[in-house]
Every structure is written in structure tokens, then in C-alpha cells.
Amino acid sequence: MALEHDIASLVEASEALTSTVDNKIQSIDSALNAAISASQSKTDQHLAKVDTALSQYLNTQSHFRVTRNQALVPDDNGNVPKLWDTGNLKKATLLETVETNQEVDSRSVLAREFLRALDSDEKYFAGNFNIWELEYYPYREVTIDGQISKTYAHLMYQYFRRPTHMTVAAVVKHIRGIVPTGSWCQGLRANEPAKICGGEVALDGRNKYSHCVPIAHGMELDSSETVVVQVALPAVVTGKVPLDSGWGQFPHVGHKDQSAYDYHPTSTFS
């Protein structure tokens, strides 16, 4: 009987110990979960503050335009946008001047489509601008070692200096032909309304230059299969512009008729 009593006591003690251990584990788990929850809450709060600060920073940067004629004013002959190199252009047509201080319903369907892309489909906005329709050859020919070959075509572009992180964009609509890529056509899609296209030009040195030139890879096409796009407000500006939050008209770093730099170099880009 004594042995049975001892065994029973041991079992009882073991069960009591097991219960104590289980309770302790539950207590530890509870404390650990509370600590994890509190830590996660603090982390989420800090991340939310960082996101808010970053968003405010991005939206409070000063952006200055380093390309000219964002409104696409025509040249003296009225044939093409002034100060823009035309690339492999076949034909340029000034479709419309979109004017501020006009009743919304009085504007054309095209004007309102471009204004909606800018989140400016209202009576007043920053200033008048032109919409051009540009038709390009799908490729260009180059001569290398006496041999003529086809390569990608250039759309309208400008030379610009790039001493800092920059953004290039425009409001663009694809009309027909292959879809050009890069620069102010980055993200362009066929069969879509006018939209903000473009991207960032990352810093890789302080004394660099570039050309904001979209390209058309139509080397396999006939020259009659042209590329047609409609475009407004193309520009390269300093800093990072979050394009998902819009685009607009930016101040130029130089004077109206004089560059902020010492001189205008003759571009050797071809």
C-alpha cells in the first residue's frame, strides 16, 4: 500500500508540476505576444511617420525645368515646336491650343482628355499649352563602313545637362503604328487615353549630359508604317517627380531668351 501511495503522490506531484509549467508557458506566451504586438504597433507607427515624411518631402521639392518650350510654341514658320530637335519626323500638326479661363464644357473633347491626364479639367489651370500630333518614320538609315543599314528612329528631343537626379515626362497619346519607348514615352500604351508618360534620370555623375529622346524600333517595317503620337507639355526637370501624383508646367532655370548656362552647345546627337 505504501508503494501505491508513493506512486499516487508522485503522479499527483507530476500533474501539479505539469499544470504549473503549462500555466507558466501560457504566461510567457501571453507576455511575449503582448511584447510582439506592442513592438509591431510601435514599428507601424514609425513606418507611418516615415512614409508621411517621405511623401511630404517628395511633394515639397523645388523642381526646375532644364529643357525649353514646354508649352510647345511653334517655330517662326509654324511648322514644328520651337527649340525641339525633330528627330526622324515626317509630319507635325498643331492640333489645338488648350486655354485657361475657359468654361469646361466649351473645350474640345481632346483638350479635356489631356487636361484630365493632368488632373486639371477645370476652368483655370497653370497656363495655355499646345497639343501636337507628330508622325515619325519607324526607323532611320545609317551608313557604317559604306553600308546602309536600318536602326531605331528618334522622336522629338532636346539636349540637356544632368548634374542631379532628374525626371522626364509629358502627356502623350498613341494614335497608330508601333509604340515608341523611353524618355517622355516611357509607359505609353496603345489604345489608351492621353496619359502622363516618363520616368527618372538617375544621377551617375555631376558633369553628365543626355537627350530626352524616345525611340521607335521599327526596323522590320516599311517606311510607310509610320508612328503617330499626340503630345503636350514635355520637359526634363530637376529632382524626383512622383508621376503617379501628376505632372504640370515647371519654371525654367534660364531666362526667356537666354540659357542659364554660358552657351548653347551645338548638339552632335544624330
Side-chain angles (χ1 to χ4, degrees), residues 34-96:
I36 291 174
S37 178
S39 177
Q40 184 65 51
S41 177
K42 290 181 179 179
T43 300
D44 290 343
Q45 290 174 12
H46 284 302
L47 289 176
K49 290 180 180 179
V50 170
D51 288 342
T52 299
L54 179 60
S55 177
Q56 290 175 343
Y57 166 73
L58 289 175
N59 289 322
T60 56
Q61 290 185 84
S62 295
H63 302 293
F64 296 97
R65 181 164 45 91
V66 297
T67 50
R68 294 179 290 169
N69 190 18
Q70 188 181 16
L72 297 184
V73 174
D75 65 5
D76 294 340
N77 296 321
N79 296 328
V80 295
K82 186 178 182 179
L83 302 173
W84 285 87
D85 287 292
T86 55
N88 301 109
L89 182 71
K90 181 176 181 180
K91 181 182 179 182
T93 304
L94 176 55
L95 296 179
E96 183 171 353

Side-chain angles (χ1 to χ4, degrees), residues 184-198:
W184 50 265
C185 280
Q186 183 174 327
L188 184 62
R189 301 286 184 271
N191 305 316
E192 288 186 346
K195 59 184 285 189
I196 298 169
C197 297

